[in-house]
Amino acid sequence: MRKAPVKPLVWVATAALLAGCVSAEQVATYSEAKPGFRAVSAGTSAGTGNKETVWIENAAQSKAVSERVRKMVHKKTINAETAVQVALLNNRGLQASYAALGMSAADAWQDTMLENPIVSVGLFGLAHPEISGFRSIESAVAANLVSLATQKQRVDVSDARFRQAQAVAIGDTLTLAAETRRAWIDAVAAFETVANLNQAQVAADAASELAQKLGETGAMPKAGQAREHAFYAELAGQKAEARLAARLAKERLTRLMGLWGQDVEYFVPDNLPALPRAPRGKPTIEADALRNRIDLQVARLELEAVAKSYRLTEATRYVTDLELIVGVEAEREIETEYELNGPDLEEKKKKKILVTPQIELEFAIPIFDSGKARMRKAEYAYMQAANRLAEKAVNIRSEARSAYTAYRSSHEIARHYRDAVLPLRKAVEEESLLTYNGMITNTFDLLADTRARIDTQLMAVDARRNFWLAEADLAAATFGAGPMEGARGGATVNVAAAEGGGH
């Protein structure tokens, strides 16, 4: 039976001593409104181009953000910067990430609090014939000493997990910004492809109509007519596919910006931005990535948390539950005394209360479980985190080099199409027009040259798209969670592929 004093001085003194291990600054950090969000905002500023982030916690804030977003995009043609800002304000998945940060702060806050003591009261002797009320009262207050002794270690682990949750929230913000930028680039490139295919459709339509008229006069064989008609039909299918790709790309952008369907209508430009004069120099790209990559910081914090958890496991290897129970038992008793009153004995009864202090210590004897298995698991968990951190560092350096190589190379390729290939195709078309006017070449040769120029324009669009995607990947490789795998992939539609052997 547990017996403890009404005022457990030992437990109170121990609790007061151990409570000093938790700083008031830590408690204030974990318990504040939007805990840790200032660090998230500061950590995402450089990687998002100084875009604003918000943490929505109530309906009023949500309504205000929705109105602000509507003013930014409704019936407007938005650029990449606007798309990224809208996504950071309005994406609900990002708000869920911020809520996870709040949950981590709540867990850390909980660990700063001392465990409540367990109080028990027992009342006995209800049916005693000579004593009214209770014959004895026993009270007990129990406290887990192991929990008190390891509070500092538990708070350290929770603090590492909280800082890791901050880094994860920063990573989610940077990833959303990068994905939104890529989606905007894909959408604009898709619509520019559609515009170029519309030009090709005009040329194909003219060629098909001319072939039909020449066939009616007998000047063109049926094989030549079929060739032109087939090219026109295939180009119509390619244009339909390009329109579908453009719609799907815009829908992906809409999802990332968190827009609610058709309630907010917006537009994207018809053309990608022009190439910069020269690519940016990045002589310290690897060092920048190792210093700024948020996923590497998450891995470091994981190793720190596992190391602190290991020390906590080591501290509780043998005894995981140690309870101090100090108390009293108060019991009322009846004493009978006899006194002479003349010739007779007079019986007198007296009631008194006996108070008995008692101290108990409860703990598990580590006979069967010596804690070796838990220690072994903690050791392997540390080794796992350390190796993952090392692997992450190796991969980040390689990703940074690859991203910068792709950035430089894609700029050279896009510039080659702009400065060399497109001018040559334009010159060929102009010369064909001159020879056509001079009755040297026929109409089909002129149309073939026009189609070839449009095909080159499509390849140039794809080259510019790859450059802007490479720039977004470079930023992600430096600040965010790394470049997206599979972000490459040409979207070029070859309008000359159906020409066969020509004329």
Side-chain angles (χ1 to χ4, degrees), residues 144-165:
N144 192 327
L145 295 184
V146 171
S147 175
L148 291 171
T150 60
Q151 187 193 26
K152 181 63 166 61
Q153 288 95 324
R154 289 186 289 107
V155 171
D156 288 343
V157 173
S158 296
D159 182 71
R161 292 299 183 190
F162 170 67
R163 287 183 284 116
Q164 187 180 35

Side-chain angles (χ1 to χ4, degrees), residues 285-300:
I285 180 66
E286 295 180 44
D288 291 343
L290 290 175
R291 182 174 57 255
N292 298 323
R293 277 284 288 269
I294 196 65
D295 52 344
L296 186 63
Q297 296 180 30
V298 172
R300 288 196 189 104

Side-chain angles (χ1 to χ4, degrees), residues 130 335-340 344-349:
E130 297 184 356
E335 291 185 352
T336 304
E337 296 180 355
Y338 296 93
E339 294 181 358
L340 287 173
D344 299 323
L345 290 175
E346 183 177 336
E347 181 180 288
K348 292 184 179 180
K349 293 182 178 182

Side-chain angles (χ1 to χ4, degrees), residues 161-487:
R161 292 299 183 190
F162 170 67
R163 287 183 284 116
Q164 187 180 35
Q166 281 183 308
V168 170
I170 293 173
D172 291 343
T173 304
L174 296 174
T175 298
L176 175 63
E179 289 183 356
T180 305
R181 193 177 298 276
R182 293 186 186 103
W184 183 89
I185 293 168
D186 284 335
V188 175
F191 279 104
E192 187 171 357
T193 298
V194 172
N196 283 291
L197 286 174
N198 286 333
Q199 296 180 22
Q201 185 76 32
V202 174
D205 188 17
S208 179
E209 184 179 354
L210 179 61
Q212 182 178 358
K213 291 181 179 179
L214 291 175
E216 292 174 356
T217 63
M220 174 175 273
K222 290 186 177 180
Q225 297 177 52
R227 185 179 296 111
E228 296 300 330
H229 295 329
F231 174 74
Y232 175 80
E234 289 176 358
L235 188 59
Q238 291 171 349
K239 191 173 73 170
E241 291 179 357
R243 283 198 300 264
L244 174 61
R247 293 193 189 101
L248 294 179
K250 187 178 179 182
E251 280 299 328
R252 180 170 181 268
L253 178 61
T254 300
R255 291 195 300 272
L256 290 171
M257 292 193 298
L259 301 180
W260 188 263
Q262 297 180 350
D263 290 347
V264 180
E265 184 179 355
Y266 69 97
F267 309 98
V268 295
D270 295 328
N271 299 286
L272 287 168
L275 292 174
R277 287 181 174 271
R280 298 194 303 270
K282 283 286 184 180
T284 59
I285 180 66
E286 295 180 44
D288 291 343
L290 290 175
R291 182 174 57 255
N292 298 323
R293 277 284 288 269
I294 196 65
D295 52 344
L296 186 63
Q297 296 180 30
V298 172
R300 288 196 189 104
L301 289 168
E302 175 66 22
L303 181 63
E304 179 183 343
V306 171
K308 291 180 177 180
S309 297
Y310 176 81
R311 287 194 287 271
L312 178 60
T313 302
E314 187 176 24
T316 59
R317 174 180 177 180
Y318 296 106
V319 179
T320 58
D321 190 16
L322 178 63
E323 286 192 346
L324 176 65
I325 309 158
V326 219
V328 296
E329 177 183 0
E331 183 175 0
R332 292 189 293 179
E333 294 184 351
I334 300 176
E335 291 185 352
T336 304
E337 296 180 355
Y338 296 93
E339 294 181 358
L340 287 173
N341 187 8
D344 299 323
L345 290 175
E346 183 177 336
E347 181 180 288
K348 292 184 179 180
K349 293 182 178 182
K350 295 181 180 180
K351 298 178 182 179
K352 65 178 180 178
I353 298 178
L354 300 178
V355 178
T356 306
Q358 297 184 11
I359 298 178
E360 295 181 10
L361 193 65
E362 289 187 359
F363 60 93
I365 302 176
I367 297 177
F368 305 108
D369 182 6
S370 63
K372 288 184 178 180
R374 288 185 285 113
M375 289 296 297
R376 178 69 59 84
K377 181 179 179 181
E379 291 171 2
Y380 283 133
Y382 181 83
M383 293 171 59
Q384 181 187 55
N387 283 295
R388 284 180 174 171
L389 177 60
E391 180 191 30
K392 178 68 69 176
V394 171
N395 292 344
I396 282 175
R397 294 188 65 182
S398 176
E399 288 173 1
R401 293 192 301 267
S402 298
Y404 186 64
T405 300
Y407 171 74
R408 296 278 306 201
S409 299
S410 60
H411 183 272
E412 293 175 1
I413 294 170
R415 187 176 58 187
H416 174 71
Y417 274 100
R418 182 194 65 186
D419 298 341
V421 182
L422 279 176
L424 288 173
R425 280 298 182 187
K426 185 177 180 181
V428 169
E429 184 182 18
E430 290 174 351
E431 288 297 323
S432 295
L433 181 60
L434 291 175
T435 56
Y436 173 76
N437 292 333
M439 304 297 290
I440 299 175
T441 57
N442 59 35
T443 305
F444 292 104
D445 291 335
L446 176 62
L447 292 174
D449 290 334
T450 301
R451 288 197 294 265
R453 176 184 59 80
I454 294 172
D455 187 48
T456 303
Q457 286 179 338
L458 291 174
M459 289 189 288
V461 169
D462 193 55
R464 276 189 291 130
R465 166 186 173 271
N466 286 341
F467 166 74
W468 290 114
L469 287 176
E471 186 187 53
D473 287 344
L474 181 61
T478 307
F479 294 101
M484 285 183 62
E485 295 294 333

